Amino acid sequence: MAVYTEVSDEALRAFLGDYDIGGLVAFRGIAEGVENSNYALRTDRGDYVLTLYEKRVDPTELPYFLGLMDHLAARGLACPVPVRGRDGDALRELAGRPAAICTFLEGVWPRRVRPDHLAPLGQSLARLHDASGDFPANRPNALGPKGWAPLLEGCRERGDEVAPGLVAELDGHLAGILAAWPAAGALPVGQIHADLFPDNVFFLDDAAGRPRVSGLIDFYFACTDLLAYDIAVCLNAWCFEADGMFNVTKARSLLTGYEGVRPLSLAERAALPVLCRGAAIRFLLTRLYDWTHTPADALVTRKDPLEYLRKLRFFAQAETAGALGL
Amino acid sequence: MAVYTEVSDEALRAFLGDYDIGGLVAFRGIAEGVENSNYALRTDRGDYVLTLYEKRVDPTELPYFLGLMDHLAARGLACPVPVRGRDGDALRELAGRPAAICTFLEGVWPRRVRPDHLAPLGQSLARLHDASGDFPANRPNALGPKGWAPLLEGCRERGDEVAPGLVAELDGHLAGILAAWPAAGALPVGQIHADLFPDNVFFLDDAAGRPRVSGLIDFYFACTDLLAYDIAVCLNAWCFEADGMFNVTKARSLLTGYEGVRPLSLAERAALPVLCRGAAIRFLLTRLYDWTHTPADALVTRKDPLEYLRKLRFFAQAETAGALGL
């Protein structure tokens, strides 16, 4: 579920009084999302999403996230736009939590990814990278290469409970990934989404019945990192079938869509395999950490770390972009 | 959470093709609700709620529930209206589950019940009872008096793990309740909601800032039983404060609101204390049963049975409606 904090009627009323967005018409919890509490909010002026930021979000980082959404929306990217209160502030407090209201985005996230989702996804990702080019703030990627060794340390004691020999295998993968990781300055850096899974991308059909991206959401892992790493996240998150097979057609469509907007350099293309290994170990490690640190009776869905072990192994045997079919 | 069944894009598209409600615009899981999967569905014609009925709902009973909502809405009660497909059927199938689309209701359920919610609640409940008077179908209350002894048997082995001596205490309460329960024919019978908790009642403020009921939802415990038993459920669900104290002001407002629409007979009023004990033991027993039969790691919020033990004890010492302040 994704409502961790309940909001009293009086608190909500007082909170909405700080905005000029009309009177309350409806207020429902949204099931999607695992980090924060999200509510669908309707006023007599329109639809919004109210987010209460829960404890895994660092409040000092919220201005970066909200500022980035504001910046991207001003440049025409379809993403939630933080709504400012009467005093001009978008980041406020409600029920003892940092909170913000953003605009509602139409669209449906794909429960099953089809090949024709990938080119529009790639185009949107490239537009995000282009639009964030002049964003003035930076946020280091806490879940980037420097964060992986500490995460693995945190899993050392109990990681093998998930699969025998897992920790030793990950030690080997991680050493290889870090040794091959692009040197500072070798690849273009900018603001990346860093978590562009299918449930963060809304689609609508165009008049011809083809899917187009209607919005990107959930910028709360966004950070400053290699632009091509965002592609590697998508190759992990969008291009494997349920049986674990890598779908080269989807991967090619993603790249083609992306390069239609922002062509990759030769260095970026050459780095894709190691970036894919990095993205695989990043999601593997956070899932493994949660798996080994979350009580089995917690009201949180623990995601399977081994899904990403299979992806990591696949990318580890693909030494070139050509071996990935790219 | 309240999304147990995921719906693929193709299945959703095919499903919507059986309706004449316009094209898909948005589709989000709703966090509220524990029995079924609920989605907020938007088309270019309006807003709807799509419900997939999960395994605790008996599919053969769905025509009763949907028919009752249809009947009540036709008589002016604000409740979800089942939307019929092109073939005239409202009850359909999606993702291997029985499924129905109903209209969306505006309003907000009260996270904290105020005294001024109670009179409008009472009015709405009485209107529901009046409007269902000529409903042609019946559904026995499986969670009524005849169901309580079997439920308690199911808790006998492990019930005392929740509180020492609990099962013996409940044996005593149940014998007393069943001995004092109104004889068949003694009180008016009709279609009741039977689960009218605050999260099933939406409110909006009128022009003067007073709450009015904008809709009643979740008719999936509705059944044919004593009308006054529905009041007893509300006295349990709406009239206790967080500290466990019974709020007589709220209880009086509920009754006053109800009787402004449908006056109670002397026999109904005299029966209220035992009906309240019955409603208390009904919610206590289902919670106790769930508590002792749900694995601790299940992704379901187990509700505290002891909240209703305190309510049961309170009603047990109040032998007359006067002792309840009514």
Side-chain angles (χ1 to χ4, degrees), chain B:
Chain B
M1 68 170 265
V3 172
Y4 305 96
T5 301
E6 277 292 359
V7 178
S8 78
D9 315 313
E10 291 79 6
L12 178 62
R13 204 171 302 261
F15 184 74
L16 293 180
D18 291 336
Y19 290 87
D20 183 28
I21 58 172
L24 180 63
V25 170
F27 186 63
R28 312 275 155 96
I30 296 176
E32 285 97 346
V34 292
E35 297 287 335
N36 300 313
S37 295
N38 291 301
Y39 290 92
L41 167 70
R42 177 175 295 180
T43 75
D44 45 35
R45 299 241 201 104
D47 286 284
Y48 303 89
V49 174
L50 166 65
T51 300
L52 279 76
Y53 300 99
E54 301 292 343
K55 61 179 192 302
R56 281 171 70 146
V57 173
D58 176 353
T60 65
E61 300 193 314
L62 288 168
Y64 169 85
F65 301 132
L66 296 176
L68 180 59
M69 290 189 271
D70 226 1
H71 180 95
L72 294 172
R75 277 146 191 82
L77 196 88
C79 71
V81 187
V83 178
R84 293 169 190 280
R86 296 180 199 276
D87 59 4
D89 289 337
L91 179 59
R92 314 188 74 84
E93 191 178 297
L94 177 58
R97 304 274 180 204
I101 291 176
C102 288
T103 53
F104 175 90
L105 290 177
E106 295 190 340
V108 182
W109 64 264
R111 272 65 177 175
R112 199 172 69 74
V113 174
R114 297 192 314 265
D116 61 355
H117 288 119
L118 274 296
L121 170 70
Q123 287 162 13
S124 281
L125 184 62
R127 285 190 192 118
L128 187 164
H129 291 164
D130 273 354
S132 70
D134 59 342
F135 185 63
N138 285 313
R139 175 181 177 259
N141 186 1
L143 298 173
K146 286 180 188 156
W148 298 336
L151 270 172
L152 183 51
E153 281 315 303
C155 302
R156 190 164 298 282
E157 196 180 329
R158 298 193 49 204
D160 284 359
E161 293 173 20
V162 173
L166 178 59
V167 172
E169 181 176 350
L170 293 181
D171 278 331
H173 283 299
L174 182 55
I177 292 167
L178 294 178
W181 201 253
L187 301 185
V189 167
Q191 313 312 320
I192 68 170
H193 185 287
D195 193 42
L196 205 56
F197 276 62
D199 56 346
N200 288 333
V201 184
F202 292 158
F203 289 86
L204 284 174
D205 286 349
D206 66 15
R210 287 174 306 228
R212 62 171 180 83
V213 173
S214 60
L216 308 180
I217 65 164
D218 202 347
F219 284 75
Y220 302 107
F221 287 97
C223 55
T224 312
D225 207 338
L226 307 176
L227 298 179
Y229 180 70
D230 241 359
I231 303 174
V233 170
C234 289
L235 288 166
N236 271 274
W238 292 74
C239 297
F240 286 86
E241 299 302 313
D243 63 3
M245 294 293 289
F246 185 69
N247 186 324
V248 168
T249 306
K250 289 180 177 172
R252 282 184 190 136
S253 292
L254 173 67
L255 278 214
T256 304
Y258 187 93
E259 293 205 285
V261 177
R262 180 183 171 269
L264 293 172
S265 68
L266 284 177
E268 284 182 301
R269 186 170 269 273
L272 274 180
V274 69
L275 299 181
C276 285
R277 285 152 66 196
I281 207 165
R282 171 258 184 266
F283 291 103
L284 197 169
L285 286 172
T286 50
R287 289 181 176 199
L288 185 63
Y289 188 90
D290 286 350
W291 198 275
T292 53
H293 291 76
T294 306
D297 61 350
L299 284 172
V300 174
T301 310
R302 297 187 304 176
K303 293 180 180 164
D304 181 13
L306 297 181
E307 176 190 343
Y308 276 84
L309 179 61
R310 293 185 288 270
K311 293 177 178 180
L312 176 58
R313 286 173 177 165
F314 169 78
F315 287 123
Q317 52 75 41
E319 292 191 12
T320 64
L324 291 173
L326 303 177

